[in-house]
Amino acid sequence: MLRLRWIVRIVIIAALTKVAVAQGNEKHKTVLDGVFTAVQAERGKAAYAAHCSSCHIEDLSGLAAPALKGEQFLDNWREDSLKSLFTFIQTRMPQRAPGSLKPEMYVDILSYILSANTYSSGSTELSADALGSIDLVGKDGPAPIPKFTLITFTGCLARAGDEWKLENASAPVRTRQEKPADGEVKASAEKPLGTGTFRLVYLDSLSPGFLPENHVGHKLHAQGYLLSNEKGEGLSVTWLESVASTCAK
Ligand code: HEC
């Protein structure tokens, strides 16, 4: 009897520990962690056949529409939360009737797209609420953000000869627009600075009225296309906005 009680206790402690670990890692879940079920992907396959395959083809290889599997597709959506891909699909697809499906059906279709991209299923269904805390990464796990994609970060404006730079930059994150969305600039104001440096290119395409010489040493919200070459990282700027007139940490 005593033994049984101990076994029960150990099982409970083990279960609680697992829950705590799972909560601690919640932010770092990726599509490699089995984030949908096989049954869900099957449901998604049927919905895909009915609503998507006429343009993207039964095997997702695309034709007139882009492929929904393979390297190019993953490069479009990796190093970002699943929510970005989901939001695109839900608000833009099927192309002739955007938003016309039930949210759960969109989630099922997303599960099917993941399974067709050879990500493994797991024991818990994917839910709309979880999308923001799951990152889409390639088969080898997290990798650098692909070049020429839209990113955003915060940094300190500095001049080096003819060039402008953002120093002490936070780690860039992917974004989907050239201009900040609601709340994005405010979030930058609160974001801690980091250790990156980005050359700024095409400053002339900036919002009228932003003169870099008026913002030297300011903390800026930056948005644009990621460049990368032997000189280091750069940003083809689409938006700069001062979020603090000092860069003191
Ligand atoms: C009438 C044709 C059509 C249908 C039906 C359709 N799509 Fe598309 N889809 C397109 C076209 C064209 C594009 C490229 C243009 C764009 O991005 O808006 C596209 C783009 C996409 C992309 C972005 C691909 C990339 O390369 O990043 C995704 C994801 C997508 N569709 C998913 C879906 C899903 C899921 C469905 C079904 C719910 C669906 N589409 C139904 C025509 C279609």
Side-chain angles (χ1 to χ4, degrees):
M1 199 57 213
L2 189 71
R3 270 207 357 239
L4 181 64
R5 204 182 290 163
W6 269 106
I7 290 169
V8 169
R9 272 187 206 172
I10 288 168
V11 167
I12 290 173
I13 289 169
L16 290 177
T17 314
K18 216 167 157 196
V19 167
V21 170
Q23 278 170 350
N25 287 341
E26 211 161 49
K27 270 212 146 71
H28 299 287
K29 234 186 195 174
T30 78
V31 288
L32 300 174
D33 298 324
V35 294
F36 59 91
T37 67
V39 171
Q40 189 175 25
E42 272 307 308
R43 284 200 310 263
K45 185 177 183 178
Y48 177 89
H51 302 286
C52 318
S53 68
S54 60
C55 296
H56 292 282
I57 312 297
E58 202 74 40
D59 71 353
L60 292 82
S61 61
L63 190 66
L68 302 183
K69 65 176 182 187
E71 199 178 328
Q72 180 58 57
F73 173 68
L74 292 180
D75 275 354
N76 290 347
W77 299 103
R78 67 181 175 83
E79 315 319 318
D80 202 347
S81 85
L82 266 186
K83 184 144 186 138
S84 290
L85 174 55
F86 179 80
T87 303
F88 177 92
I89 294 174
Q90 192 183 32
T91 56
R92 306 269 297 271
M93 297 291 143
Q95 207 184 32
R96 298 203 185 104
S100 59
L101 312 181
K102 287 198 174 130
E104 311 85 76
M105 190 175 268
Y106 280 112
V107 179
D108 290 349
I109 292 174
L110 180 59
S111 302
Y112 173 58
I113 293 174
L114 292 174
S115 106
N117 279 278
T118 73
Y119 293 103
S120 307
S121 57
S123 54
T124 314
E125 288 217 345
L126 185 60
S127 71
D129 294 341
L131 295 166
S133 59
I134 301 171
D135 287 338
L136 210 176
V137 299
K139 306 293 151 46
D140 300 328
I145 295 176
K147 279 194 221 182
F148 311 123
T149 58
L150 278 167
I151 56 167
T152 171
F153 58 87
T154 49
C156 306
L157 189 65
R159 180 176 230 158
D162 300 342
E163 279 195 341
W164 290 98
K165 294 188 295 185
L166 282 172
E167 297 176 331
N168 299 116
S170 63
V173 294
R174 282 189 89 154
T175 176
R176 299 287 158 185
Q177 321 81 228
E178 295 193 341
K179 293 178 183 173
D182 278 355
E184 230 170 359
V185 173
K186 198 166 165 258
S188 280
E190 277 144 34
K191 204 188 276 181
L193 292 159
T195 56
T197 300
F198 289 81
R199 288 171 291 117
L200 300 181
V201 182
Y202 301 126
L203 274 174
D204 42 322
S205 62
L206 280 184
S207 54
F210 185 94
L211 295 172
E213 38 283 352
N214 293 344
H215 299 280
V216 177
H218 289 191
K219 182 176 176 183
L220 301 190
H221 167 87
Q223 211 153 330
Y225 293 89
L226 172 64
L227 307 174
S228 176
N229 64 17
E230 64 288 349
K231 283 201 266 174
E233 289 183 308
L235 186 74
S236 175
V237 177
T238 58
W239 196 269
L240 284 181
E241 189 167 334
S242 182
V243 295
S245 56
T246 159
C247 244
K249 290 195 192 182

